[in-house]
Amino acid sequence: MTTIGLIGSGNIGSTVARLAVAAGHDVVLSNSRGPETLTDLVGKLGPRARAATAAEAAAAGDIVVVTIPLKAYRQVPVEPLRGKVVIDTNNYYPERDGHIAELDDESTTTSELLQAHLPESRVVKAFNNIYVTHLGSLQRPAGHPERSVLAIAGDDEAAKQTVAEFLDSIGYDAYDVGPLREGWRYQRDTAAYVQPYAVPGTEYPTWPGRRVAPEMLKDRLGAAVRYRDV
């Protein structure tokens, strides 16, 4: 099985870690506060999990998930991620991250920023458009009629295949949106962001989840509108 490194162990990171452990993967978790603050989480995850520094998690992972506030993306260690597949879960929230000019003018996307920071890594955008509770509850075995798809985007076809295989192992099919520049189609506040996985008429934070089929996700991606056109 694969070792999954996690740079960031908040809601999404810990949920991905739980799904990965359940699928038989090993996980190496890190956060900005130090490995000692992850003792409880590692204890809950069991013997397949351990805590480390961000650099150690990056070095240990066959696949590394970057799941930190976007404003901290320049702190992601570069050297240990050279040549590796990196899953980027980031979304841009100016009220949290501060204003980033190239995102405000939509000349690039969040995952392209991370790819520029990690020029020798292979970045794939995933996990950013699903609410954490849904991510942790909608997983289904391969072939199950209620299995959902998750959007992925990336510039490296082999990296996307690796991520698709990982998603398959944790209970999801992958829907290839195309290169990283197309990741805007499922960024914050687009039609494909979060709401497809929520039962209509329900409200955050108690949303029950529902299956998202490829056809639904395709329609939502096609309905995406640039912020400047809203």
Side-chain angles (χ1 to χ4, degrees), residues 42-86:
V42 168
K44 291 176 182 177
L45 291 171
R48 288 193 174 274
R50 65 182 176 90
T53 66
E56 289 166 344
D62 300 305
I63 299 171
V64 178
V65 182
V66 173
T67 180
I68 58 177
L70 179 64
K71 63 184 177 182
Y73 82 91
R74 291 185 181 88
Q75 298 173 25
V76 174
V78 176
E79 185 62 35
L81 291 174
R82 293 187 191 280
K84 293 197 175 188
V85 175
V86 175

Side-chain angles (χ1 to χ4, degrees), residues 53-120:
T53 66
E56 289 166 344
D62 300 305
I63 299 171
V64 178
V65 182
V66 173
T67 180
I68 58 177
L70 179 64
K71 63 184 177 182
Y73 82 91
R74 291 185 181 88
Q75 298 173 25
V76 174
V78 176
E79 185 62 35
L81 291 174
R82 293 187 191 280
K84 293 197 175 188
V85 175
V86 175
I87 299 177
D88 174 38
T89 78
N90 275 322
N91 286 299
Y92 174 42
Y93 298 98
E95 63 276 15
R96 177 196 67 186
D97 301 314
H99 281 279
I100 300 172
E102 56 266 52
L103 296 180
D104 288 339
D105 67 18
E106 299 186 276
S107 59
T108 191
T109 64
T110 56
S111 292
E112 287 176 292
L113 282 181
L114 184 62
Q115 181 66 83
H117 175 67
L118 302 172
E120 295 184 41

Side-chain angles (χ1 to χ4, degrees), residues 11-166:
N11 289 335
I12 291 291
S14 60
T15 299
V16 171
R18 177 172 61 80
L19 294 173
V21 165
H25 300 291
D26 294 325
V27 299
V28 182
L29 300 115
S30 69
N31 63 15
S32 61
R33 294 174 292 130
E36 66 280 359
T37 65
L38 294 167
T39 301
D40 288 347
L41 177 58
V42 168
K44 291 176 182 177
L45 291 171
R48 288 193 174 274
R50 65 182 176 90
T53 66
E56 289 166 344
D62 300 305
I63 299 171
V64 178
V65 182
V66 173
T67 180
I68 58 177
L70 179 64
K71 63 184 177 182
Y73 82 91
R74 291 185 181 88
Q75 298 173 25
V76 174
V78 176
E79 185 62 35
L81 291 174
R82 293 187 191 280
K84 293 197 175 188
V85 175
V86 175
I87 299 177
D88 174 38
T89 78
N90 275 322
N91 286 299
Y92 174 42
Y93 298 98
E95 63 276 15
R96 177 196 67 186
D97 301 314
H99 281 279
I100 300 172
E102 56 266 52
L103 296 180
D104 288 339
D105 67 18
E106 299 186 276
S107 59
T108 191
T109 64
T110 56
S111 292
E112 287 176 292
L113 282 181
L114 184 62
Q115 181 66 83
H117 175 67
L118 302 172
E120 295 184 41
S121 302
R122 297 176 291 158
V123 174
V124 177
K125 185 181 184 70
F127 295 126
N128 72 291
N129 72 315
I130 184 169
Y131 181 53
V132 63
T133 301
H134 298 156
L135 176 62
S137 62
L138 291 177
Q139 73 275 18
R140 299 290 186 274
H144 193 285
E146 291 299 310
R147 199 179 221 214
S148 289
V149 295
L150 294 176
I152 65 171
D155 295 336
D156 185 291
E157 294 300 321
K160 286 193 285 189
Q161 181 59 37
T162 296
V163 172
E165 291 169 0
F166 173 58

Side-chain angles (χ1 to χ4, degrees), residues 151-188:
I152 65 171
D155 295 336
D156 185 291
E157 294 300 321
K160 286 193 285 189
Q161 181 59 37
T162 296
V163 172
E165 291 169 0
F166 173 58
L167 293 182
D168 176 55
S169 75
I170 65 171
Y172 291 93
D173 291 330
Y175 187 96
D176 189 350
V177 182
L180 284 179
R181 66 175 180 270
E182 290 296 298
W184 72 272
R185 292 188 178 276
Y186 54 106
Q187 66 190 4
R188 172 185 53 83

